[in-house]
Amino acid sequence: MPPTWIFDLDNTLHDAEPYIFPEMNRLMTAYVAAHTGLSRDEADALRLHYWQRYGTTLSGLQKHYGVDPEHFLHHTHQFAQLPQALRPMRALHAVLRQLPGRKILFTNAPSAYAHAVLRGLRIAHHFEGVIAIQHTAYRPKPHFAGYRQLLRQHRLAAANCIMVEDTRANLLSAKRLGMRTIWLNPRPWHGHGVDLALRELSELPRAVRRLGWL
């Protein structure tokens, strides 16, 4: 049976560093400032603190300020230049074509943004489902809630899943549930929770064939 591929989105399928992340950080900082009364610099520091402590800025704002999650997600994921600004990972279309099996997107981003990026990259047809932050009761990776929701909703056995991510902490939860894990990182190293470390997505098909995973 072919494996089921669980892909992250930002910095896994496309490079979010040139435009998406800077713009998202700007929008989130503005949102934090507007809802806390902090200065821009103070809001930026708080945004980063919540992200580091809770996994997402949203989680911190929910916990400490009771913000409405949909209001936050709507106002912090408005990208006027999204289609033009997307930077697909090298050989993205070829990689997805070469991997047999079901493919599911699993992201801490909101659903509307995730679908917009898939459409913009012209790869939506490769994915049979999207698990976004709304589907996990706003509990982000690496919280186990989203992983269990994904397995339950798509009737998957963890042992037959391969998760591809740029964030090692998110792979640790996948590994604990029994998934195989692939870490995309410019300076990869193999360690606890990582079955395969690659510098870039284009290396994926050859690497998994070498391991006998296909």
Side-chain angles (χ1 to χ4, degrees):
M1 176 187 300
T4 295
W5 300 90
I6 312 299
F7 281 95
D8 178 46
L9 181 60
D10 297 330
N11 280 356
T12 297
L13 299 177
H14 73 106
D15 184 1
E17 299 297 337
Y19 169 72
I20 300 295
F21 279 174
E23 182 65 4
M24 188 183 302
N25 291 342
R26 185 189 69 79
L27 291 169
M28 287 189 181
T29 294
Y31 190 97
V32 172
H35 285 74
T36 63
L38 296 173
S39 69
R40 184 192 179 283
D41 288 345
E42 291 170 331
D44 195 48
L46 187 64
R47 172 191 65 77
L48 182 60
H49 171 68
Y50 284 166
W51 175 71
Q52 292 172 333
R53 181 174 181 182
Y54 299 111
T56 63
T57 299
L58 171 59
S59 294
L61 289 173
Q62 284 183 282
K63 181 177 179 66
H64 295 285
Y65 289 91
V67 304
D68 175 70
E70 283 302 310
H71 187 267
F72 171 86
L73 293 170
H74 174 75
H75 286 280
T76 58
H77 288 78
Q78 299 292 321
F79 304 104
Q81 303 300 317
L82 181 64
Q84 306 94 307
L86 288 173
R87 298 291 182 267
M89 293 304 187
R90 188 163 70 89
L92 174 62
H93 290 260
V95 167
L96 294 175
R97 284 197 306 268
Q98 291 177 59
L99 298 177
R102 303 161 67 189
K103 298 174 184 70
I104 298 168
L105 190 75
F106 182 21
T107 176
N108 283 342
S111 179
Y113 165 79
H115 284 283
V117 172
L118 290 181
R119 290 192 302 269
L121 294 171
R122 300 181 181 179
I123 58 172
H125 60 284
H126 286 287
F127 291 85
E128 74 167 55
V130 172
I131 299 293
I133 194 69
Q134 291 99 332
H135 306 128
T136 68
Y138 304 102
R139 288 173 289 185
K141 295 180 287 184
H143 195 288
F144 284 106
Y147 301 77
R148 294 189 174 114
Q149 171 66 18
L150 184 152
L151 294 172
R152 182 170 56 251
Q153 180 175 327
H154 292 278
R155 299 181 181 180
L156 300 172
N160 195 50
C161 294
I162 301 175
M163 187 165 180
V164 185
E165 259 272 3
D166 70 297
T167 302
R168 182 170 174 263
N170 295 342
L171 294 174
L172 298 180
S173 296
K175 187 63 178 175
R176 287 182 63 183
L177 289 170
M179 298 183 191
R180 285 170 285 179
T181 58
I182 299 175
W183 186 28
L184 300 181
N185 189 289
R187 296 175 296 279
W189 52 274
H190 293 80
H192 177 65
V194 177
D195 292 314
L196 176 63
L198 301 174
R199 293 185 185 278
E200 59 178 68
L201 186 69
S202 62
E203 302 171 0
L204 181 54
R206 180 179 297 179
V208 293
R209 283 195 294 267
R210 187 172 64 245
L211 288 172
W213 289 5
L214 294 180

